């Protein structure tokens, strides 16, 4: 039988071992004594944890921008023994054309985004998000990754996040982006001086059958018959997000073998930086109304009351591949403008 002293020593050793294990577990699976903020102080650990989850340890993967207002960084969350999949996000300032969220394939499906209805100009999905920096930041904040650049006269600067691993809670991602944008703008001397509002987001609808006489739930909006291809691209289902008269988008998923999609989008000027977009060379005047059309990007800007409203459509690669009738984009865009323009109280515009 061990002596009392030996028993006590074993107990102390056991307690110490448990303490070490508990310390290691806490180190591996919580942010105890970890980094307090990320991305050169732009995001605190609480907001980053809300995006990446709290079951694990947050750490910086890489970061740039300590001497400039621009930001580019990567942050990950990993855990041991908890069975949690690792998560990683990249946060950057980026320079884009004002309607990038509706036009670029990198942002994939605009009708699946949750657009802000309050607290800023932006949108989020499960995999990515963006928020627009104030116009006063145009000459002060641009992009730093992969190379530093400032926006041109027809471009804007946004703060964007992309999930490299895992998916994010949309509301948490929106909050992080708004706070990050405010901090970046304040550091650059172009902030509004106000505390950032908690953003409110409008989530997309479920897919539903498309009414051929009211596509995207817009009365009178029809897809021209020669835009359809039997067996390959026929009227199918749709998804909408946002709300009129704010930012709004509809994704039309054709039924048929092609797997083709078309997105129709509309937004008041503030969502596409108002007049900034019209500095692009492609926009030409529409006779008879105060408005412009750019056929290359399949976009129209109309003066509706006291504000500009942007309308556009974008085809998926699969729809191009089914070889729709020549010139069909004009009839389709005209039908969309006729129907959606009424919802924004715009004048009737005959596209040329």
């Amino acid at each position: 039988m061990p002596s009392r002293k030996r028993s006590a020593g074993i107990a102390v050793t056991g307690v110490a071992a448990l303490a070490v294990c508990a310390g290691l577990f806490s180190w591996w699976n919580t942010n105890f004594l970890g980094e307090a903020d990320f991305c050169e102080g732009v995001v605190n650990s609480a907001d980053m944890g809300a995006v990446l989850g709290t079951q694990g340890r947050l750490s910086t993967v890489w970061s740039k921008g300590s001497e400039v207002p621009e930001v580019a960084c990567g942050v990950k969350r990993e855990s041991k023994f908890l069975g949690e999949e690792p998560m990683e996000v990249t946060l950057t300032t980026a320079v884009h054309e004002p309607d990038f969220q509706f036009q670029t394939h990198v942002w994939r499906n605009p009708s699946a985004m949750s657009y802000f209805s309050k607290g800023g100009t932006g949108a989020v999905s499960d995999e990515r998000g963006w928020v627009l920096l104030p116009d006063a930041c145009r000459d002060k904040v641009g992009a730093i990754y992969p190379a530093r650049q400032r926006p041109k006269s027809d471009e804007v600067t946004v703060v964007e996040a992309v999930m490299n691993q895992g998916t994010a809670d949309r509301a948490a991602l929106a909050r992080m982006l708004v706070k990050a944008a405010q901090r970046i703008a304040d550091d650059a001397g172009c902030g509004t001086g106000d505390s950032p509002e908690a953003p409110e987001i409008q989530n997309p609808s479920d897919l539903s059958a498309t009414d051929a006489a009211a596509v995207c739930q817009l009365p009178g909006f029809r897809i021209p018959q020669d835009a359809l291809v039997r067996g390959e691209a026929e009227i199918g289902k749709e998804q909408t997000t946002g709300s009129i008269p704010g930012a709004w988008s509809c994704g039309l998923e054709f039924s048929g073998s092609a797997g083709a999609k078309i997105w129709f989008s509309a937004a008041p000027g503030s969502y596409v930086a108002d007049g900034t977009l019209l500095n692009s060379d492609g926009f030409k005047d529409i006779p008879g109304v105060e408005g412009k059309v750019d056929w290359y990007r399949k976009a129209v800007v109309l003066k509706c009351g006291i504000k500009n409203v942007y309308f556009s459509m974008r085809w998926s690669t699969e729809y191009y591949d089914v070889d729709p009738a020549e010139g069909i984009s004009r009839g389709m865009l005209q039908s969309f403008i006729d129907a959606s323009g009424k919802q924004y109280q715009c004048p009737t515009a005959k596209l040329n």
Side-chain angles (χ1 to χ4, degrees), residues 10-350:
I10 293 173
V12 169
T13 302
V15 170
L18 287 173
V20 170
C21 290
L24 287 173
F25 186 86
S26 180
W27 181 265
W28 286 328
N29 297 293
T30 74
N31 223 41
F32 178 66
L33 297 180
E35 296 177 62
D37 51 44
F38 300 90
C39 306
E40 311 301 336
V42 167
V43 180
N44 63 37
S45 59
D47 290 330
M48 185 61 73
V51 173
L52 296 183
T54 56
Q55 296 298 310
R57 192 165 189 81
L58 300 173
S59 60
T60 297
V61 179
W62 60 277
S63 186
K64 292 187 176 184
S66 59
E67 303 300 324
V68 295
E70 293 87 3
V71 168
C73 61
V75 180
K76 67 179 179 180
R77 191 266 296 146
E78 293 180 306
S79 64
K80 292 183 181 294
F81 312 123
L82 294 179
E84 297 286 337
E85 293 295 324
M87 295 181 69
E88 184 176 324
V89 64
T90 296
L91 182 74
T92 62
T93 49
V95 171
H96 294 301
E97 293 182 331
D99 58 344
F100 75 97
Q101 67 272 26
F102 302 124
Q103 291 284 351
T104 54
H105 293 283
V106 170
W107 289 84
R108 299 185 179 91
N109 184 358
S111 63
M113 302 289 289
S114 296
Y115 291 91
F116 294 9
S117 58
K118 180 182 178 182
T121 298
V124 291
S125 70
D126 298 338
E127 294 86 19
R128 61 184 62 225
W130 64 275
V131 63
L132 182 70
L133 283 175
D135 193 56
C137 295
R138 177 179 306 281
D139 297 327
K140 299 181 178 181
V141 185
I144 193 175
Y145 181 79
R148 195 175 187 193
Q149 69 178 109
R150 292 288 173 83
K152 300 175 184 176
S153 63
D154 59 348
E155 294 177 323
V156 296
T157 304
V158 301
V159 181
E160 65 181 40
V162 177
M163 299 296 298
N164 302 316
Q165 287 183 279
T167 57
D169 175 83
R170 294 188 181 207
L173 185 58
R175 286 194 299 271
M176 184 186 77
L177 282 166
V178 167
K179 289 183 180 181
Q182 185 70 44
R183 178 66 183 271
I184 291 167
D186 288 346
D187 288 349
C190 53
T192 62
D194 299 327
S195 297
E197 282 188 278
E200 294 181 4
I201 59 177
Q202 298 173 302
N203 290 323
S205 69
D206 294 329
L207 275 172
S208 60
T210 296
D211 181 348
V215 173
C216 296
Q217 302 175 44
L218 295 173
F221 179 29
R222 299 173 180 271
I223 299 298
Q225 192 61 39
D226 52 359
L228 305 175
V229 180
R230 183 179 294 276
E232 295 184 79
E234 301 182 83
I235 294 297
K237 296 183 178 181
E238 63 189 35
Q239 180 182 44
T240 59
T241 190
S243 62
I244 295 171
W248 172 94
S249 188
C250 171
L252 181 63
E253 297 190 2
F254 287 114
S255 65
S257 60
K261 298 181 181 179
I262 299 180
W263 293 274
F264 300 94
S265 303
S270 60
Y271 281 81
V272 286
D274 216 348
T276 304
L277 181 71
L278 298 180
N279 288 326
S280 303
D281 293 335
F283 280 96
K284 307 300 180 185
D285 289 338
I286 301 173
V289 297
E290 194 171 347
K292 293 179 179 289
V293 59
D294 182 336
W295 285 112
Y296 176 77
R297 70 202 314 150
K298 299 183 179 69
V300 172
V301 176
L302 295 176
K303 187 76 169 184
C304 306
I306 62 172
K307 61 186 177 184
N308 287 337
V309 179
Y310 165 93
F311 305 89
S312 73
M313 67 180 186
R314 193 184 89 212
W315 297 353
S316 70
T317 301
E318 293 82 2
Y319 186 67
Y320 280 106
D321 290 344
V322 303
D323 195 24
E326 184 177 353
I328 192 57
S329 63
R330 291 179 178 262
M332 195 183 302
L333 185 58
Q334 182 72 65
S335 181
F336 173 55
I337 295 298
D338 290 344
S340 59
K342 293 177 182 177
Q343 305 299 315
Y344 286 87
Q345 299 183 357
C346 298
T348 300
K350 180 65 176 178

